[in-house]
């Protein structure tokens, strides 16, 4: 609720991520996101959404139909949805691996990652399974 209040007052908010729904490139308790109050959201945007009262997720928009928004976390194979009015924040940059320089969502690196990862949806669950069971134990998180 405090994050929402700050966003509604026109400020940006940066906070640490929890959960695994944005894997493999955003990690639980390691990375951070900076949000602004959403104005014009579109397919492909990463947003903070209230999917149930006081239950929030940071997911990528996959479709907007009428006033309903359909989202999927990069580490998920299922979708979640909410009403357009329940989109509370728009991600503008991510801080990964403790770095002080962010990956901006309009930068080539984030756009490339997004385009490639989203195109892998049909096989994403197999890639994520191999990442969790093989890659992380051998090499750690990406």
């Amino acid at each position: 609720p405090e994050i929402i209040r700050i966003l509604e007052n026109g400020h940006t908010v940066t906070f640490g991520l929890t959960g695994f729904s944005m894997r493999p490139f955003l990690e639980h308790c390691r990375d951070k996101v900076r949000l602004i109050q959403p104005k014009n959201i579109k397919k492909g945007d990463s947003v903070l959404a209230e999917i149930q009262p006081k239950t929030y997720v940071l997911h990528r928009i996959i479709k907007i139909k009428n006033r309903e928004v359909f989202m999927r976390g990069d580490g998920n194979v299922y979708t979640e949805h909410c009403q357009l009015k329940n989109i509370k924040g728009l991600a503008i940059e991510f801080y990964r691996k403790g770095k002080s320089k962010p990956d901006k969502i309009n930068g080539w690196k984030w756009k490339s990652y997004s385009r490639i990862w989203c195109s892998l949806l049909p096989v994403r669950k197999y890639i994520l399974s191999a990442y969790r069971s093989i890659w992380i134990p051998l090499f750690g998180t990406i």
Side-chain angles (χ1 to χ4, degrees), residues 74 76-77 116-130:
D74 286 358
N76 295 348
V77 293
I116 292 167
W117 187 248
C118 290
S119 71
L120 294 173
L121 181 61
V123 295
R124 190 185 296 183
K125 69 180 179 180
Y126 304 110
I127 295 169
L128 288 167
S129 178

PDB file of all heavy atoms in Angstrom, residues 74 76-77 116-130:
ATOM      1  N   ASP A  74       7.651 -13.726 -16.592  1.00  0.00           N
ATOM      2  CA  ASP A  74       8.594 -14.368 -17.505  1.00  0.00           C
ATOM      3  C   ASP A  74       8.933 -15.787 -17.066  1.00  0.00           C
ATOM      4  O   ASP A  74       9.292 -16.618 -17.886  1.00  0.00           O
ATOM      5  CB  ASP A  74       9.874 -13.542 -17.618  1.00  0.00           C
ATOM      6  CG  ASP A  74       9.671 -12.281 -18.453  1.00  0.00           C
ATOM      7  OD1 ASP A  74       8.558 -12.070 -18.960  1.00  0.00           O
ATOM      8  OD2 ASP A  74      10.647 -11.528 -18.602  1.00  0.00           O
ATOM      9  N   ASN A  76       6.754 -17.809 -15.681  1.00  0.00           N
ATOM     10  CA  ASN A  76       5.485 -18.545 -15.579  1.00  0.00           C
ATOM     11  C   ASN A  76       5.022 -19.014 -16.951  1.00  0.00           C
ATOM     12  O   ASN A  76       5.366 -18.414 -17.971  1.00  0.00           O
ATOM     13  CB  ASN A  76       4.384 -17.659 -14.985  1.00  0.00           C
ATOM     14  CG  ASN A  76       4.651 -17.270 -13.560  1.00  0.00           C
ATOM     15  OD1 ASN A  76       5.528 -17.805 -12.912  1.00  0.00           O
ATOM     16  ND2 ASN A  76       3.900 -16.315 -13.074  1.00  0.00           N
ATOM     17  N   VAL A  77       4.195 -20.047 -16.945  1.00  0.00           N
ATOM     18  CA  VAL A  77       3.573 -20.492 -18.192  1.00  0.00           C
ATOM     19  C   VAL A  77       2.084 -20.178 -18.193  1.00  0.00           C
ATOM     20  O   VAL A  77       1.432 -20.285 -19.213  1.00  0.00           O
ATOM     21  CB  VAL A  77       3.809 -21.998 -18.448  1.00  0.00           C
ATOM     22  CG1 VAL A  77       5.292 -22.263 -18.704  1.00  0.00           C
ATOM     23  CG2 VAL A  77       3.309 -22.837 -17.300  1.00  0.00           C
ATOM     24  N   ILE A 116      13.391 -12.013 -27.483  1.00  0.00           N
ATOM     25  CA  ILE A 116      13.823 -13.410 -27.565  1.00  0.00           C
ATOM     26  C   ILE A 116      13.046 -14.275 -26.580  1.00  0.00           C
ATOM     27  O   ILE A 116      12.497 -15.313 -26.938  1.00  0.00           O
ATOM     28  CB  ILE A 116      15.339 -13.523 -27.318  1.00  0.00           C
ATOM     29  CG1 ILE A 116      16.102 -12.871 -28.476  1.00  0.00           C
ATOM     30  CG2 ILE A 116      15.757 -14.972 -27.131  1.00  0.00           C
ATOM     31  CD1 ILE A 116      17.572 -12.637 -28.203  1.00  0.00           C
ATOM     32  N   TRP A 117      12.995 -13.843 -25.309  1.00  0.00           N
ATOM     33  CA  TRP A 117      12.346 -14.670 -24.281  1.00  0.00           C
ATOM     34  C   TRP A 117      10.862 -14.868 -24.564  1.00  0.00           C
ATOM     35  O   TRP A 117      10.342 -15.977 -24.426  1.00  0.00           O
ATOM     36  CB  TRP A 117      12.567 -14.071 -22.902  1.00  0.00           C
ATOM     37  CG  TRP A 117      12.076 -14.962 -21.810  1.00  0.00           C
ATOM     38  CD1 TRP A 117      11.027 -14.732 -20.978  1.00  0.00           C
ATOM     39  CD2 TRP A 117      12.588 -16.245 -21.443  1.00  0.00           C
ATOM     40  NE1 TRP A 117      10.860 -15.786 -20.125  1.00  0.00           N
ATOM     41  CE2 TRP A 117      11.815 -16.726 -20.391  1.00  0.00           C
ATOM     42  CE3 TRP A 117      13.636 -17.037 -21.919  1.00  0.00           C
ATOM     43  CZ2 TRP A 117      12.038 -17.961 -19.786  1.00  0.00           C
ATOM     44  CZ3 TRP A 117      13.865 -18.262 -21.321  1.00  0.00           C
ATOM     45  CH2 TRP A 117      13.068 -18.712 -20.266  1.00  0.00           C
ATOM     46  N   CYS A 118      10.183 -13.823 -24.991  1.00  0.00           N
ATOM     47  CA  CYS A 118       8.745 -13.945 -25.275  1.00  0.00           C
ATOM     48  C   CYS A 118       8.486 -14.865 -26.463  1.00  0.00           C
ATOM     49  O   CYS A 118       7.460 -15.541 -26.517  1.00  0.00           O
ATOM     50  CB  CYS A 118       8.119 -12.573 -25.496  1.00  0.00           C
ATOM     51  SG  CYS A 118       8.023 -11.602 -23.974  1.00  0.00           S
ATOM     52  N   SER A 119       9.401 -14.911 -27.416  1.00  0.00           N
ATOM     53  CA  SER A 119       9.217 -15.796 -28.572  1.00  0.00           C
ATOM     54  C   SER A 119       9.403 -17.269 -28.202  1.00  0.00           C
ATOM     55  O   SER A 119       9.004 -18.153 -28.950  1.00  0.00           O
ATOM     56  CB  SER A 119      10.178 -15.415 -29.701  1.00  0.00           C
ATOM     57  OG  SER A 119      11.502 -15.767 -29.358  1.00  0.00           O
ATOM     58  N   LEU A 120       9.987 -17.543 -27.041  1.00  0.00           N
ATOM     59  CA  LEU A 120      10.244 -18.921 -26.613  1.00  0.00           C
ATOM     60  C   LEU A 120       9.107 -19.524 -25.798  1.00  0.00           C
ATOM     61  O   LEU A 120       9.264 -20.610 -25.235  1.00  0.00           O
ATOM     62  CB  LEU A 120      11.536 -18.975 -25.787  1.00  0.00           C
ATOM     63  CG  LEU A 120      12.814 -18.637 -26.542  1.00  0.00           C
ATOM     64  CD1 LEU A 120      13.992 -18.555 -25.577  1.00  0.00           C
ATOM     65  CD2 LEU A 120      13.076 -19.642 -27.642  1.00  0.00           C
ATOM     66  N   LEU A 121       7.963 -18.860 -25.740  1.00  0.00           N
ATOM     67  CA  LEU A 121       6.862 -19.327 -24.903  1.00  0.00           C
ATOM     68  C   LEU A 121       6.524 -20.811 -25.086  1.00  0.00           C
ATOM     69  O   LEU A 121       6.348 -21.514 -24.099  1.00  0.00           O
ATOM     70  CB  LEU A 121       5.617 -18.468 -25.110  1.00  0.00           C
ATOM     71  CG  LEU A 121       4.416 -18.866 -24.257  1.00  0.00           C
ATOM     72  CD1 LEU A 121       4.745 -18.751 -22.777  1.00  0.00           C
ATOM     73  CD2 LEU A 121       3.216 -18.026 -24.602  1.00  0.00           C
ATOM     74  N   PRO A 122       6.462 -21.328 -26.306  1.00  0.00           N
ATOM     75  CA  PRO A 122       6.089 -22.739 -26.425  1.00  0.00           C
ATOM     76  C   PRO A 122       7.036 -23.710 -25.706  1.00  0.00           C
ATOM     77  O   PRO A 122       6.616 -24.773 -25.272  1.00  0.00           O
ATOM     78  CB  PRO A 122       6.108 -22.989 -27.936  1.00  0.00           C
ATOM     79  CG  PRO A 122       5.934 -21.643 -28.552  1.00  0.00           C
ATOM     80  CD  PRO A 122       6.595 -20.684 -27.599  1.00  0.00           C
ATOM     81  N   VAL A 123       8.295 -23.341 -25.564  1.00  0.00           N
ATOM     82  CA  VAL A 123       9.257 -24.248 -24.917  1.00  0.00           C
ATOM     83  C   VAL A 123       9.789 -23.685 -23.596  1.00  0.00           C
ATOM     84  O   VAL A 123      10.686 -24.262 -22.992  1.00  0.00           O
ATOM     85  CB  VAL A 123      10.443 -24.573 -25.861  1.00  0.00           C
ATOM     86  CG1 VAL A 123       9.966 -25.352 -27.071  1.00  0.00           C
ATOM     87  CG2 VAL A 123      11.182 -23.315 -26.269  1.00  0.00           C
ATOM     88  N   ARG A 124       9.221 -22.581 -23.152  1.00  0.00           N
ATOM     89  CA  ARG A 124       9.717 -21.895 -21.964  1.00  0.00           C
ATOM     90  C   ARG A 124       9.735 -22.783 -20.723  1.00  0.00           C
ATOM     91  O   ARG A 124      10.679 -22.754 -19.950  1.00  0.00           O
ATOM     92  CB  ARG A 124       8.879 -20.646 -21.700  1.00  0.00           C
ATOM     93  CG  ARG A 124       9.462 -19.758 -20.641  1.00  0.00           C
ATOM     94  CD  ARG A 124       8.573 -18.602 -20.321  1.00  0.00           C
ATOM     95  NE  ARG A 124       8.415 -17.719 -21.460  1.00  0.00           N
ATOM     96  CZ  ARG A 124       7.719 -16.588 -21.415  1.00  0.00           C
ATOM     97  NH1 ARG A 124       7.101 -16.227 -20.325  1.00  0.00           N
ATOM     98  NH2 ARG A 124       7.614 -15.833 -22.474  1.00  0.00           N
ATOM     99  N   LYS A 125       8.695 -23.597 -20.519  1.00  0.00           N
ATOM    100  CA  LYS A 125       8.653 -24.418 -19.311  1.00  0.00           C
ATOM    101  C   LYS A 125       9.802 -25.411 -19.273  1.00  0.00           C
ATOM    102  O   LYS A 125      10.329 -25.708 -18.199  1.00  0.00           O
ATOM    103  CB  LYS A 125       7.308 -25.110 -19.145  1.00  0.00           C
ATOM    104  CG  LYS A 125       6.986 -26.187 -20.121  1.00  0.00           C
ATOM    105  CD  LYS A 125       5.617 -26.777 -19.808  1.00  0.00           C
ATOM    106  CE  LYS A 125       5.242 -27.857 -20.790  1.00  0.00           C
ATOM    107  NZ  LYS A 125       3.937 -28.419 -20.496  1.00  0.00           N
ATOM    108  N   TYR A 126      10.247 -25.897 -20.421  1.00  0.00           N
ATOM    109  CA  TYR A 126      11.381 -26.828 -20.459  1.00  0.00           C
ATOM    110  C   TYR A 126      12.691 -26.099 -20.175  1.00  0.00           C
ATOM    111  O   TYR A 126      13.556 -26.616 -19.467  1.00  0.00           O
ATOM    112  CB  TYR A 126      11.438 -27.539 -21.813  1.00  0.00           C
ATOM    113  CG  TYR A 126      10.144 -28.246 -22.140  1.00  0.00           C
ATOM    114  CD1 TYR A 126       9.315 -27.776 -23.153  1.00  0.00           C
ATOM    115  CD2 TYR A 126       9.728 -29.359 -21.410  1.00  0.00           C
ATOM    116  CE1 TYR A 126       8.116 -28.404 -23.452  1.00  0.00           C
ATOM    117  CE2 TYR A 126       8.523 -29.992 -21.700  1.00  0.00           C
ATOM    118  CZ  TYR A 126       7.729 -29.513 -22.717  1.00  0.00           C
ATOM    119  OH  TYR A 126       6.541 -30.132 -22.992  1.00  0.00           O
ATOM    120  N   ILE A 127      12.812 -24.911 -20.716  1.00  0.00           N
ATOM    121  CA  ILE A 127      14.013 -24.103 -20.465  1.00  0.00           C
ATOM    122  C   ILE A 127      14.093 -23.750 -18.973  1.00  0.00           C
ATOM    123  O   ILE A 127      15.155 -23.873 -18.361  1.00  0.00           O
ATOM    124  CB  ILE A 127      14.009 -22.827 -21.331  1.00  0.00           C
ATOM    125  CG1 ILE A 127      14.101 -23.194 -22.817  1.00  0.00           C
ATOM    126  CG2 ILE A 127      15.152 -21.896 -20.927  1.00  0.00           C
ATOM    127  CD1 ILE A 127      13.839 -22.027 -23.756  1.00  0.00           C
ATOM    128  N   LEU A 128      12.977 -23.330 -18.393  1.00  0.00           N
ATOM    129  CA  LEU A 128      12.962 -22.965 -16.971  1.00  0.00           C
ATOM    130  C   LEU A 128      13.245 -24.174 -16.082  1.00  0.00           C
ATOM    131  O   LEU A 128      13.947 -24.057 -15.077  1.00  0.00           O
ATOM    132  CB  LEU A 128      11.624 -22.332 -16.599  1.00  0.00           C
ATOM    133  CG  LEU A 128      11.401 -20.932 -17.143  1.00  0.00           C
ATOM    134  CD1 LEU A 128       9.947 -20.527 -17.001  1.00  0.00           C
ATOM    135  CD2 LEU A 128      12.309 -19.935 -16.450  1.00  0.00           C
ATOM    136  N   SER A 129      12.725 -25.324 -16.454  1.00  0.00           N
ATOM    137  CA  SER A 129      12.985 -26.538 -15.682  1.00  0.00           C
ATOM    138  C   SER A 129      14.473 -26.891 -15.707  1.00  0.00           C
ATOM    139  O   SER A 129      15.065 -27.202 -14.665  1.00  0.00           O
ATOM    140  CB  SER A 129      12.156 -27.698 -16.239  1.00  0.00           C
ATOM    141  OG  SER A 129      12.441 -28.875 -15.540  1.00  0.00           O
ATOM    142  N   ALA A 130      15.082 -26.816 -16.869  1.00  0.00           N
ATOM    143  CA  ALA A 130      16.521 -27.095 -16.993  1.00  0.00           C
ATOM    144  C   ALA A 130      17.330 -26.037 -16.235  1.00  0.00           C
ATOM    145  O   ALA A 130      18.337 -26.361 -15.595  1.00  0.00           O
ATOM    146  CB  ALA A 130      16.924 -27.130 -18.463  1.00  0.00           C
TER     147      ALA A 130
END
